[in-house]
Amino acid sequence: MKVALITGITGQDGSYLAELLLEKGYEVHGIKRRSSLFNTDRIDHLYQDPHDPNQRLKLHYGDLTDSMNLTRIIQECQPDEIYNLGAMSHVKVSFDMPEYVGNVDGLGTLRILEAVRLLGLSEKTRIYQASTSELFGGLPENKNERGFYDENSPLYPRSPYGVAKIYGFWITKNYREAYNMFACNGLLFNHESPRRGETFVTRKITRAVAKIALGLQEKVFLGNLEAKRDWGHAKDYVRMMWMILQADKAEDWVIATGVTTTVRDFVRMAFGEVGIDIEFKGEGVNEKAYVIACNHKDFQVEIGKEVLSVDPSYFRPTEVDLLLGDPTKAKEKLGWVPEYDLASLVKDMMESDVKLMKKDVALLKAGHKILKQVE
């Protein structure tokens, strides 16, 4: 039985990857940070009884800033594969806490690589490093002849998050070449799902739209509506992570859909999933969105209602306006083909958040009923 170790297992990618590896018969070890609050809701359905001898998912307390702890966990697990998905990955927040991001996202990668080397596991253990499209920085002159970013595009990160990740990218390549380790970078473009963190723009949008449709929220505030992203489904991307570590040769790979969409159009698609048509008026920070039609019997929003405004505080100090990846290498060499397009991704996220918000409505109604009984 193969053994895998996942940092960031409680996150979006970690939870989907754990599901995939368990389905493939792996024993899966995950590292989670100690917190006074429960933070395992994305994997609770996988982690049932820690006392069950047949339980193939095992969790360890750890942190990417603690090299001794990481070394101990790796020594205990003796993993065949390590997936380093742990990171402070919110680009906007990275401007507020750049030192922490450098320590976790940059040096955290080094700590894992060095632990594998010192423990004598360089020949046994294959390592996947979660890199990011933010390394490219969106500079048009760095695209390939087809207008995309690929494995040969120059790197120019434009956020503390991107700068920290570029250290992780290069130290992974360095250890691969210096110590003949099977260590790979996956340059992942944006990938979303119903398990995406609530502060990331796509999930912020789908949650807000669900709330607006159910009368729980008046409108949503967003930043740069002109920003364009290459959005895929996290399920497709974690499958590619696994494929990368099954390859014959350790290389670096771009994981992307090759299709770009503006934040504005993502908003429009999300509202469309609940039968609401909107139109945008104004420009820049004065742009707003209004309801022009409502065609769903379960969601009745007033025509003309303002449902979106731009908030300048959400703009980044240095914005990456367009990121578009070229997954040709992954498709041709590993046979990776995404199963989800953007429409099916938005549908999946909206169905999940509408279901989630309906639970909130039910709880509110139950609360009101109890209050009336008390009165």
PDB file of all heavy atoms in Angstrom, residues 133-134 136-139 142-144 146-150 153 187 189-190 228-231 237 254-261 320-327:
ATOM      1  N   SER A 133       0.043  30.177 -10.611  1.00  0.00           N
ATOM      2  CA  SER A 133       0.065  31.050 -11.790  1.00  0.00           C
ATOM      3  C   SER A 133       0.453  32.472 -11.418  1.00  0.00           C
ATOM      4  O   SER A 133       0.845  33.256 -12.293  1.00  0.00           O
ATOM      5  CB  SER A 133      -1.319  31.061 -12.447  1.00  0.00           C
ATOM      6  OG  SER A 133      -2.305  31.537 -11.544  1.00  0.00           O
ATOM      7  N   GLU A 134       0.376  32.820 -10.118  1.00  0.00           N
ATOM      8  CA  GLU A 134       0.770  34.161  -9.692  1.00  0.00           C
ATOM      9  C   GLU A 134       2.251  34.418  -9.945  1.00  0.00           C
ATOM     10  O   GLU A 134       2.700  35.565  -9.933  1.00  0.00           O
ATOM     11  CB  GLU A 134       0.453  34.358  -8.211  1.00  0.00           C
ATOM     12  CG  GLU A 134      -1.024  34.415  -7.882  1.00  0.00           C
ATOM     13  CD  GLU A 134      -1.697  35.697  -8.362  1.00  0.00           C
ATOM     14  OE1 GLU A 134      -1.011  36.732  -8.433  1.00  0.00           O
ATOM     15  OE2 GLU A 134      -2.907  35.658  -8.666  1.00  0.00           O
ATOM     16  N   PHE A 136       3.698  34.195 -12.743  1.00  0.00           N
ATOM     17  CA  PHE A 136       3.856  34.813 -14.056  1.00  0.00           C
ATOM     18  C   PHE A 136       3.623  36.321 -14.024  1.00  0.00           C
ATOM     19  O   PHE A 136       4.158  37.048 -14.862  1.00  0.00           O
ATOM     20  CB  PHE A 136       2.914  34.164 -15.062  1.00  0.00           C
ATOM     21  CG  PHE A 136       3.192  32.706 -15.307  1.00  0.00           C
ATOM     22  CD1 PHE A 136       2.252  31.734 -14.996  1.00  0.00           C
ATOM     23  CD2 PHE A 136       4.413  32.305 -15.834  1.00  0.00           C
ATOM     24  CE1 PHE A 136       2.506  30.405 -15.223  1.00  0.00           C
ATOM     25  CE2 PHE A 136       4.671  30.959 -16.051  1.00  0.00           C
ATOM     26  CZ  PHE A 136       3.719  30.004 -15.740  1.00  0.00           C
ATOM     27  N   GLY A 137       2.809  36.777 -13.103  1.00  0.00           N
ATOM     28  CA  GLY A 137       2.624  38.209 -12.921  1.00  0.00           C
ATOM     29  C   GLY A 137       1.757  38.897 -13.953  1.00  0.00           C
ATOM     30  O   GLY A 137       1.520  40.099 -13.860  1.00  0.00           O
ATOM     31  N   GLY A 138       1.300  38.193 -14.960  1.00  0.00           N
ATOM     32  CA  GLY A 138       0.399  38.784 -15.934  1.00  0.00           C
ATOM     33  C   GLY A 138       1.038  39.697 -16.974  1.00  0.00           C
ATOM     34  O   GLY A 138       0.340  40.397 -17.699  1.00  0.00           O
ATOM     35  N   LEU A 139       2.369  39.715 -17.065  1.00  0.00           N
ATOM     36  CA  LEU A 139       3.012  40.589 -18.052  1.00  0.00           C
ATOM     37  C   LEU A 139       2.802  40.040 -19.461  1.00  0.00           C
ATOM     38  O   LEU A 139       3.166  38.901 -19.756  1.00  0.00           O
ATOM     39  CB  LEU A 139       4.505  40.706 -17.754  1.00  0.00           C
ATOM     40  CG  LEU A 139       4.889  41.367 -16.424  1.00  0.00           C
ATOM     41  CD1 LEU A 139       6.400  41.503 -16.329  1.00  0.00           C
ATOM     42  CD2 LEU A 139       4.227  42.741 -16.290  1.00  0.00           C
ATOM     43  N   ASN A 142       5.600  38.267 -21.514  1.00  0.00           N
ATOM     44  CA  ASN A 142       6.110  36.978 -21.058  1.00  0.00           C
ATOM     45  C   ASN A 142       5.289  35.794 -21.556  1.00  0.00           C
ATOM     46  O   ASN A 142       5.586  34.648 -21.230  1.00  0.00           O
ATOM     47  CB  ASN A 142       6.164  36.933 -19.530  1.00  0.00           C
ATOM     48  CG  ASN A 142       7.255  37.843 -18.975  1.00  0.00           C
ATOM     49  OD1 ASN A 142       8.109  38.308 -19.722  1.00  0.00           O
ATOM     50  ND2 ASN A 142       7.216  38.096 -17.681  1.00  0.00           N
ATOM     51  N   LYS A 143       4.264  36.054 -22.358  1.00  0.00           N
ATOM     52  CA  LYS A 143       3.436  34.968 -22.887  1.00  0.00           C
ATOM     53  C   LYS A 143       4.142  34.280 -24.050  1.00  0.00           C
ATOM     54  O   LYS A 143       5.036  34.843 -24.687  1.00  0.00           O
ATOM     55  CB  LYS A 143       2.089  35.519 -23.360  1.00  0.00           C
ATOM     56  CG  LYS A 143       1.250  36.129 -22.259  1.00  0.00           C
ATOM     57  CD  LYS A 143      -0.042  36.705 -22.834  1.00  0.00           C
ATOM     58  CE  LYS A 143      -0.859  37.403 -21.771  1.00  0.00           C
ATOM     59  NZ  LYS A 143      -2.093  38.000 -22.307  1.00  0.00           N
ATOM     60  N   ASN A 144       3.707  33.059 -24.365  1.00  0.00           N
ATOM     61  CA  ASN A 144       4.255  32.357 -25.528  1.00  0.00           C
ATOM     62  C   ASN A 144       3.607  32.892 -26.798  1.00  0.00           C
ATOM     63  O   ASN A 144       2.769  33.798 -26.757  1.00  0.00           O
ATOM     64  CB  ASN A 144       4.094  30.837 -25.388  1.00  0.00           C
ATOM     65  CG  ASN A 144       2.624  30.390 -25.322  1.00  0.00           C
ATOM     66  OD1 ASN A 144       1.719  31.103 -25.752  1.00  0.00           O
ATOM     67  ND2 ASN A 144       2.395  29.201 -24.792  1.00  0.00           N
ATOM     68  N   ARG A 146       1.385  31.835 -28.597  1.00  0.00           N
ATOM     69  CA  ARG A 146      -0.074  31.645 -28.681  1.00  0.00           C
ATOM     70  C   ARG A 146      -0.828  32.556 -27.725  1.00  0.00           C
ATOM     71  O   ARG A 146      -2.048  32.531 -27.653  1.00  0.00           O
ATOM     72  CB  ARG A 146      -0.423  30.184 -28.394  1.00  0.00           C
ATOM     73  CG  ARG A 146       0.130  29.204 -29.427  1.00  0.00           C
ATOM     74  CD  ARG A 146      -0.164  27.754 -29.073  1.00  0.00           C
ATOM     75  NE  ARG A 146      -1.594  27.549 -28.865  1.00  0.00           N
ATOM     76  CZ  ARG A 146      -2.127  27.059 -27.754  1.00  0.00           C
ATOM     77  NH1 ARG A 146      -1.350  26.750 -26.730  1.00  0.00           N
ATOM     78  NH2 ARG A 146      -3.422  26.868 -27.657  1.00  0.00           N
ATOM     79  N   GLY A 147      -0.070  33.359 -26.941  1.00  0.00           N
ATOM     80  CA  GLY A 147      -0.709  34.273 -26.016  1.00  0.00           C
ATOM     81  C   GLY A 147      -0.999  33.686 -24.647  1.00  0.00           C
ATOM     82  O   GLY A 147      -1.811  34.227 -23.891  1.00  0.00           O
ATOM     83  N   PHE A 148      -0.347  32.574 -24.314  1.00  0.00           N
ATOM     84  CA  PHE A 148      -0.561  31.900 -23.046  1.00  0.00           C
ATOM     85  C   PHE A 148       0.736  31.882 -22.228  1.00  0.00           C
ATOM     86  O   PHE A 148       1.826  32.120 -22.748  1.00  0.00           O
ATOM     87  CB  PHE A 148      -0.993  30.440 -23.268  1.00  0.00           C
ATOM     88  CG  PHE A 148      -2.321  30.269 -23.945  1.00  0.00           C
ATOM     89  CD1 PHE A 148      -2.441  30.421 -25.320  1.00  0.00           C
ATOM     90  CD2 PHE A 148      -3.449  29.938 -23.215  1.00  0.00           C
ATOM     91  CE1 PHE A 148      -3.664  30.253 -25.957  1.00  0.00           C
ATOM     92  CE2 PHE A 148      -4.675  29.767 -23.838  1.00  0.00           C
ATOM     93  CZ  PHE A 148      -4.783  29.921 -25.211  1.00  0.00           C
ATOM     94  N   TYR A 149       0.594  31.524 -20.940  1.00  0.00           N
ATOM     95  CA  TYR A 149       1.760  31.257 -20.105  1.00  0.00           C
ATOM     96  C   TYR A 149       1.963  29.752 -20.041  1.00  0.00           C
ATOM     97  O   TYR A 149       1.013  28.995 -19.809  1.00  0.00           O
ATOM     98  CB  TYR A 149       1.565  31.817 -18.692  1.00  0.00           C
ATOM     99  CG  TYR A 149       1.428  33.317 -18.660  1.00  0.00           C
ATOM    100  CD1 TYR A 149       0.178  33.916 -18.536  1.00  0.00           C
ATOM    101  CD2 TYR A 149       2.546  34.133 -18.757  1.00  0.00           C
ATOM    102  CE1 TYR A 149       0.047  35.293 -18.518  1.00  0.00           C
ATOM    103  CE2 TYR A 149       2.423  35.515 -18.748  1.00  0.00           C
ATOM    104  CZ  TYR A 149       1.175  36.085 -18.628  1.00  0.00           C
ATOM    105  OH  TYR A 149       1.046  37.454 -18.625  1.00  0.00           O
ATOM    106  N   ASP A 150       3.208  29.319 -20.259  1.00  0.00           N
ATOM    107  CA  ASP A 150       3.504  27.896 -20.194  1.00  0.00           C
ATOM    108  C   ASP A 150       4.744  27.668 -19.331  1.00  0.00           C
ATOM    109  O   ASP A 150       5.217  28.578 -18.649  1.00  0.00           O
ATOM    110  CB  ASP A 150       3.681  27.293 -21.594  1.00  0.00           C
ATOM    111  CG  ASP A 150       4.827  27.925 -22.380  1.00  0.00           C
ATOM    112  OD1 ASP A 150       5.741  28.525 -21.766  1.00  0.00           O
ATOM    113  OD2 ASP A 150       4.821  27.818 -23.623  1.00  0.00           O
ATOM    114  N   SER A 153       7.648  30.193 -19.790  1.00  0.00           N
ATOM    115  CA  SER A 153       7.419  31.636 -19.670  1.00  0.00           C
ATOM    116  C   SER A 153       8.235  32.224 -18.526  1.00  0.00           C
ATOM    117  O   SER A 153       8.372  31.611 -17.465  1.00  0.00           O
ATOM    118  CB  SER A 153       5.933  31.913 -19.419  1.00  0.00           C
ATOM    119  OG  SER A 153       5.139  31.479 -20.507  1.00  0.00           O
ATOM    120  N   LEU A 187       2.355  24.375 -11.583  1.00  0.00           N
ATOM    121  CA  LEU A 187       1.987  25.797 -11.698  1.00  0.00           C
ATOM    122  C   LEU A 187       0.479  25.873 -11.935  1.00  0.00           C
ATOM    123  O   LEU A 187       0.008  25.944 -13.066  1.00  0.00           O
ATOM    124  CB  LEU A 187       2.773  26.461 -12.818  1.00  0.00           C
ATOM    125  CG  LEU A 187       4.274  26.603 -12.525  1.00  0.00           C
ATOM    126  CD1 LEU A 187       5.123  26.189 -13.707  1.00  0.00           C
ATOM    127  CD2 LEU A 187       4.594  28.029 -12.121  1.00  0.00           C
ATOM    128  N   PHE A 189      -3.150  27.228 -12.186  1.00  0.00           N
ATOM    129  CA  PHE A 189      -3.965  28.417 -12.377  1.00  0.00           C
ATOM    130  C   PHE A 189      -5.192  28.301 -11.468  1.00  0.00           C
ATOM    131  O   PHE A 189      -5.380  27.285 -10.793  1.00  0.00           O
ATOM    132  CB  PHE A 189      -4.329  28.578 -13.852  1.00  0.00           C
ATOM    133  CG  PHE A 189      -3.205  29.183 -14.666  1.00  0.00           C
ATOM    134  CD1 PHE A 189      -2.025  28.478 -14.873  1.00  0.00           C
ATOM    135  CD2 PHE A 189      -3.312  30.460 -15.188  1.00  0.00           C
ATOM    136  CE1 PHE A 189      -0.971  29.035 -15.579  1.00  0.00           C
ATOM    137  CE2 PHE A 189      -2.262  31.029 -15.909  1.00  0.00           C
ATOM    138  CZ  PHE A 189      -1.100  30.321 -16.097  1.00  0.00           C
ATOM    139  N   ASN A 190      -6.001  29.345 -11.419  1.00  0.00           N
ATOM    140  CA  ASN A 190      -7.091  29.381 -10.441  1.00  0.00           C
ATOM    141  C   ASN A 190      -8.002  28.170 -10.570  1.00  0.00           C
ATOM    142  O   ASN A 190      -8.440  27.821 -11.670  1.00  0.00           O
ATOM    143  CB  ASN A 190      -7.912  30.661 -10.622  1.00  0.00           C
ATOM    144  CG  ASN A 190      -7.130  31.896 -10.270  1.00  0.00           C
ATOM    145  OD1 ASN A 190      -6.172  32.252 -10.954  1.00  0.00           O
ATOM    146  ND2 ASN A 190      -7.515  32.561  -9.211  1.00  0.00           N
ATOM    147  N   LYS A 228      -9.248  39.195 -15.178  1.00  0.00           N
ATOM    148  CA  LYS A 228      -9.581  37.969 -15.890  1.00  0.00           C
ATOM    149  C   LYS A 228      -8.759  36.818 -15.317  1.00  0.00           C
ATOM    150  O   LYS A 228      -7.578  36.963 -15.020  1.00  0.00           O
ATOM    151  CB  LYS A 228      -9.275  38.118 -17.383  1.00  0.00           C
ATOM    152  CG  LYS A 228     -10.118  39.168 -18.080  1.00  0.00           C
ATOM    153  CD  LYS A 228      -9.751  39.257 -19.559  1.00  0.00           C
ATOM    154  CE  LYS A 228     -10.590  40.299 -20.270  1.00  0.00           C
ATOM    155  NZ  LYS A 228     -10.236  40.408 -21.706  1.00  0.00           N
ATOM    156  N   ARG A 229      -9.408  35.664 -15.189  1.00  0.00           N
ATOM    157  CA  ARG A 229      -8.738  34.494 -14.650  1.00  0.00           C
ATOM    158  C   ARG A 229      -9.075  33.251 -15.466  1.00  0.00           C
ATOM    159  O   ARG A 229     -10.099  33.178 -16.143  1.00  0.00           O
ATOM    160  CB  ARG A 229      -9.145  34.266 -13.184  1.00  0.00           C
ATOM    161  CG  ARG A 229      -8.621  35.331 -12.211  1.00  0.00           C
ATOM    162  CD  ARG A 229      -7.106  35.283 -12.099  1.00  0.00           C
ATOM    163  NE  ARG A 229      -6.612  36.264 -11.134  1.00  0.00           N
ATOM    164  CZ  ARG A 229      -6.245  37.495 -11.440  1.00  0.00           C
ATOM    165  NH1 ARG A 229      -6.367  37.934 -12.697  1.00  0.00           N
ATOM    166  NH2 ARG A 229      -5.769  38.314 -10.519  1.00  0.00           N
ATOM    167  N   ASP A 230      -8.184  32.288 -15.362  1.00  0.00           N
ATOM    168  CA  ASP A 230      -8.344  30.974 -15.975  1.00  0.00           C
ATOM    169  C   ASP A 230      -8.842  30.055 -14.859  1.00  0.00           C
ATOM    170  O   ASP A 230      -8.063  29.547 -14.067  1.00  0.00           O
ATOM    171  CB  ASP A 230      -6.967  30.531 -16.500  1.00  0.00           C
ATOM    172  CG  ASP A 230      -6.995  29.188 -17.195  1.00  0.00           C
ATOM    173  OD1 ASP A 230      -7.904  28.387 -16.909  1.00  0.00           O
ATOM    174  OD2 ASP A 230      -6.086  28.916 -17.990  1.00  0.00           O
ATOM    175  N   TRP A 231     -10.176  29.883 -14.786  1.00  0.00           N
ATOM    176  CA  TRP A 231     -10.777  29.148 -13.666  1.00  0.00           C
ATOM    177  C   TRP A 231     -11.105  27.712 -14.044  1.00  0.00           C
ATOM    178  O   TRP A 231     -11.806  27.456 -15.028  1.00  0.00           O
ATOM    179  CB  TRP A 231     -12.070  29.825 -13.217  1.00  0.00           C
ATOM    180  CG  TRP A 231     -11.874  31.010 -12.322  1.00  0.00           C
ATOM    181  CD1 TRP A 231     -11.186  31.052 -11.151  1.00  0.00           C
ATOM    182  CD2 TRP A 231     -12.394  32.330 -12.507  1.00  0.00           C
ATOM    183  NE1 TRP A 231     -11.239  32.300 -10.593  1.00  0.00           N
ATOM    184  CE2 TRP A 231     -11.969  33.115 -11.396  1.00  0.00           C
ATOM    185  CE3 TRP A 231     -13.181  32.937 -13.489  1.00  0.00           C
ATOM    186  CZ2 TRP A 231     -12.308  34.455 -11.262  1.00  0.00           C
ATOM    187  CZ3 TRP A 231     -13.510  34.269 -13.351  1.00  0.00           C
ATOM    188  CH2 TRP A 231     -13.081  35.017 -12.252  1.00  0.00           C
ATOM    189  N   TYR A 237      -7.870  19.438 -10.970  1.00  0.00           N
ATOM    190  CA  TYR A 237      -6.495  19.834 -10.691  1.00  0.00           C
ATOM    191  C   TYR A 237      -5.797  18.880  -9.729  1.00  0.00           C
ATOM    192  O   TYR A 237      -4.602  18.599  -9.877  1.00  0.00           O
ATOM    193  CB  TYR A 237      -6.465  21.277 -10.162  1.00  0.00           C
ATOM    194  CG  TYR A 237      -6.694  22.304 -11.258  1.00  0.00           C
ATOM    195  CD1 TYR A 237      -7.732  22.147 -12.182  1.00  0.00           C
ATOM    196  CD2 TYR A 237      -5.882  23.408 -11.388  1.00  0.00           C
ATOM    197  CE1 TYR A 237      -7.939  23.062 -13.189  1.00  0.00           C
ATOM    198  CE2 TYR A 237      -6.090  24.343 -12.402  1.00  0.00           C
ATOM    199  CZ  TYR A 237      -7.122  24.157 -13.292  1.00  0.00           C
ATOM    200  OH  TYR A 237      -7.321  25.070 -14.300  1.00  0.00           O
ATOM    201  N   VAL A 254       2.379  23.130 -16.029  1.00  0.00           N
ATOM    202  CA  VAL A 254       1.302  24.107 -15.945  1.00  0.00           C
ATOM    203  C   VAL A 254      -0.023  23.349 -15.934  1.00  0.00           C
ATOM    204  O   VAL A 254      -0.267  22.474 -16.769  1.00  0.00           O
ATOM    205  CB  VAL A 254       1.336  25.093 -17.135  1.00  0.00           C
ATOM    206  CG1 VAL A 254       0.007  25.855 -17.250  1.00  0.00           C
ATOM    207  CG2 VAL A 254       2.481  26.079 -16.966  1.00  0.00           C
ATOM    208  N   ILE A 255      -0.874  23.689 -14.952  1.00  0.00           N
ATOM    209  CA  ILE A 255      -2.206  23.087 -14.865  1.00  0.00           C
ATOM    210  C   ILE A 255      -3.219  24.210 -15.045  1.00  0.00           C
ATOM    211  O   ILE A 255      -3.321  25.113 -14.213  1.00  0.00           O
ATOM    212  CB  ILE A 255      -2.414  22.385 -13.512  1.00  0.00           C
ATOM    213  CG1 ILE A 255      -1.243  21.449 -13.210  1.00  0.00           C
ATOM    214  CG2 ILE A 255      -3.738  21.611 -13.514  1.00  0.00           C
ATOM    215  CD1 ILE A 255      -1.336  20.766 -11.864  1.00  0.00           C
ATOM    216  N   ALA A 256      -3.955  24.178 -16.145  1.00  0.00           N
ATOM    217  CA  ALA A 256      -4.857  25.272 -16.493  1.00  0.00           C
ATOM    218  C   ALA A 256      -5.927  24.760 -17.445  1.00  0.00           C
ATOM    219  O   ALA A 256      -5.853  23.634 -17.942  1.00  0.00           O
ATOM    220  CB  ALA A 256      -4.066  26.409 -17.147  1.00  0.00           C
ATOM    221  N   THR A 257      -6.931  25.598 -17.709  1.00  0.00           N
ATOM    222  CA  THR A 257      -7.958  25.234 -18.687  1.00  0.00           C
ATOM    223  C   THR A 257      -7.690  25.858 -20.043  1.00  0.00           C
ATOM    224  O   THR A 257      -8.174  25.381 -21.057  1.00  0.00           O
ATOM    225  CB  THR A 257      -9.353  25.691 -18.208  1.00  0.00           C
ATOM    226  OG1 THR A 257      -9.414  27.123 -18.231  1.00  0.00           O
ATOM    227  CG2 THR A 257      -9.640  25.187 -16.797  1.00  0.00           C
ATOM    228  N   GLY A 258      -6.947  26.988 -20.063  1.00  0.00           N
ATOM    229  CA  GLY A 258      -6.709  27.693 -21.317  1.00  0.00           C
ATOM    230  C   GLY A 258      -7.868  28.590 -21.723  1.00  0.00           C
ATOM    231  O   GLY A 258      -7.903  29.101 -22.840  1.00  0.00           O
ATOM    232  N   VAL A 259      -8.827  28.803 -20.816  1.00  0.00           N
ATOM    233  CA  VAL A 259      -9.979  29.662 -21.086  1.00  0.00           C
ATOM    234  C   VAL A 259     -10.010  30.767 -20.032  1.00  0.00           C
ATOM    235  O   VAL A 259      -9.833  30.495 -18.849  1.00  0.00           O
ATOM    236  CB  VAL A 259     -11.300  28.872 -21.039  1.00  0.00           C
ATOM    237  CG1 VAL A 259     -12.497  29.800 -21.271  1.00  0.00           C
ATOM    238  CG2 VAL A 259     -11.276  27.734 -22.054  1.00  0.00           C
ATOM    239  N   THR A 260     -10.231  31.998 -20.451  1.00  0.00           N
ATOM    240  CA  THR A 260     -10.228  33.113 -19.499  1.00  0.00           C
ATOM    241  C   THR A 260     -11.607  33.761 -19.394  1.00  0.00           C
ATOM    242  O   THR A 260     -12.363  33.797 -20.366  1.00  0.00           O
ATOM    243  CB  THR A 260      -9.190  34.178 -19.904  1.00  0.00           C
ATOM    244  OG1 THR A 260      -9.073  35.138 -18.859  1.00  0.00           O
ATOM    245  CG2 THR A 260      -9.583  34.876 -21.188  1.00  0.00           C
ATOM    246  N   THR A 261     -11.911  34.258 -18.205  1.00  0.00           N
ATOM    247  CA  THR A 261     -13.217  34.860 -17.917  1.00  0.00           C
ATOM    248  C   THR A 261     -13.014  36.029 -16.961  1.00  0.00           C
ATOM    249  O   THR A 261     -12.188  35.950 -16.059  1.00  0.00           O
ATOM    250  CB  THR A 261     -14.165  33.830 -17.260  1.00  0.00           C
ATOM    251  OG1 THR A 261     -14.197  32.647 -18.051  1.00  0.00           O
ATOM    252  CG2 THR A 261     -15.574  34.394 -17.133  1.00  0.00           C
ATOM    253  N   VAL A 320      -2.831  41.883 -10.996  1.00  0.00           N
ATOM    254  CA  VAL A 320      -2.581  41.017 -12.143  1.00  0.00           C
ATOM    255  C   VAL A 320      -3.903  40.903 -12.885  1.00  0.00           C
ATOM    256  O   VAL A 320      -4.825  40.228 -12.440  1.00  0.00           O
ATOM    257  CB  VAL A 320      -2.084  39.626 -11.694  1.00  0.00           C
ATOM    258  CG1 VAL A 320      -1.888  38.729 -12.910  1.00  0.00           C
ATOM    259  CG2 VAL A 320      -0.794  39.757 -10.903  1.00  0.00           C
ATOM    260  N   ASP A 321      -4.008  41.602 -14.014  1.00  0.00           N
ATOM    261  CA  ASP A 321      -5.301  41.712 -14.685  1.00  0.00           C
ATOM    262  C   ASP A 321      -5.692  40.477 -15.482  1.00  0.00           C
ATOM    263  O   ASP A 321      -6.872  40.167 -15.616  1.00  0.00           O
ATOM    264  CB  ASP A 321      -5.298  42.932 -15.626  1.00  0.00           C
ATOM    265  CG  ASP A 321      -5.251  44.245 -14.856  1.00  0.00           C
ATOM    266  OD1 ASP A 321      -5.865  44.306 -13.777  1.00  0.00           O
ATOM    267  OD2 ASP A 321      -4.588  45.184 -15.325  1.00  0.00           O
ATOM    268  N   LEU A 322      -4.714  39.756 -16.027  1.00  0.00           N
ATOM    269  CA  LEU A 322      -5.045  38.624 -16.890  1.00  0.00           C
ATOM    270  C   LEU A 322      -4.051  37.495 -16.698  1.00  0.00           C
ATOM    271  O   LEU A 322      -2.840  37.686 -16.811  1.00  0.00           O
ATOM    272  CB  LEU A 322      -5.041  39.066 -18.365  1.00  0.00           C
ATOM    273  CG  LEU A 322      -5.186  37.950 -19.406  1.00  0.00           C
ATOM    274  CD1 LEU A 322      -6.514  37.221 -19.224  1.00  0.00           C
ATOM    275  CD2 LEU A 322      -5.059  38.502 -20.815  1.00  0.00           C
ATOM    276  N   LEU A 323      -4.576  36.318 -16.402  1.00  0.00           N
ATOM    277  CA  LEU A 323      -3.758  35.114 -16.310  1.00  0.00           C
ATOM    278  C   LEU A 323      -4.426  34.018 -17.134  1.00  0.00           C
ATOM    279  O   LEU A 323      -5.590  33.682 -16.906  1.00  0.00           O
ATOM    280  CB  LEU A 323      -3.612  34.655 -14.851  1.00  0.00           C
ATOM    281  CG  LEU A 323      -2.691  35.501 -13.965  1.00  0.00           C
ATOM    282  CD1 LEU A 323      -2.803  35.060 -12.524  1.00  0.00           C
ATOM    283  CD2 LEU A 323      -1.246  35.396 -14.442  1.00  0.00           C
ATOM    284  N   LEU A 324      -3.698  33.466 -18.091  1.00  0.00           N
ATOM    285  CA  LEU A 324      -4.241  32.446 -18.979  1.00  0.00           C
ATOM    286  C   LEU A 324      -3.164  31.389 -19.221  1.00  0.00           C
ATOM    287  O   LEU A 324      -2.087  31.701 -19.730  1.00  0.00           O
ATOM    288  CB  LEU A 324      -4.675  33.079 -20.307  1.00  0.00           C
ATOM    289  CG  LEU A 324      -5.348  32.166 -21.337  1.00  0.00           C
ATOM    290  CD1 LEU A 324      -6.619  31.554 -20.757  1.00  0.00           C
ATOM    291  CD2 LEU A 324      -5.677  32.954 -22.595  1.00  0.00           C
ATOM    292  N   GLY A 325      -3.441  30.167 -18.824  1.00  0.00           N
ATOM    293  CA  GLY A 325      -2.434  29.115 -18.889  1.00  0.00           C
ATOM    294  C   GLY A 325      -2.550  28.223 -20.103  1.00  0.00           C
ATOM    295  O   GLY A 325      -3.629  28.062 -20.683  1.00  0.00           O
ATOM    296  N   ASP A 326      -1.417  27.617 -20.475  1.00  0.00           N
ATOM    297  CA  ASP A 326      -1.345  26.697 -21.612  1.00  0.00           C
ATOM    298  C   ASP A 326      -1.078  25.285 -21.083  1.00  0.00           C
ATOM    299  O   ASP A 326       0.049  24.954 -20.721  1.00  0.00           O
ATOM    300  CB  ASP A 326      -0.217  27.128 -22.550  1.00  0.00           C
ATOM    301  CG  ASP A 326      -0.172  26.289 -23.822  1.00  0.00           C
ATOM    302  OD1 ASP A 326      -0.882  25.262 -23.892  1.00  0.00           O
ATOM    303  OD2 ASP A 326       0.585  26.647 -24.744  1.00  0.00           O
ATOM    304  N   PRO A 327      -2.104  24.415 -21.024  1.00  0.00           N
ATOM    305  CA  PRO A 327      -1.938  23.073 -20.480  1.00  0.00           C
ATOM    306  C   PRO A 327      -1.509  22.026 -21.513  1.00  0.00           C
ATOM    307  O   PRO A 327      -1.658  20.825 -21.283  1.00  0.00           O
ATOM    308  CB  PRO A 327      -3.335  22.755 -19.950  1.00  0.00           C
ATOM    309  CG  PRO A 327      -4.247  23.441 -20.933  1.00  0.00           C
ATOM    310  CD  PRO A 327      -3.512  24.699 -21.378  1.00  0.00           C
TER     311      PRO A 327
END
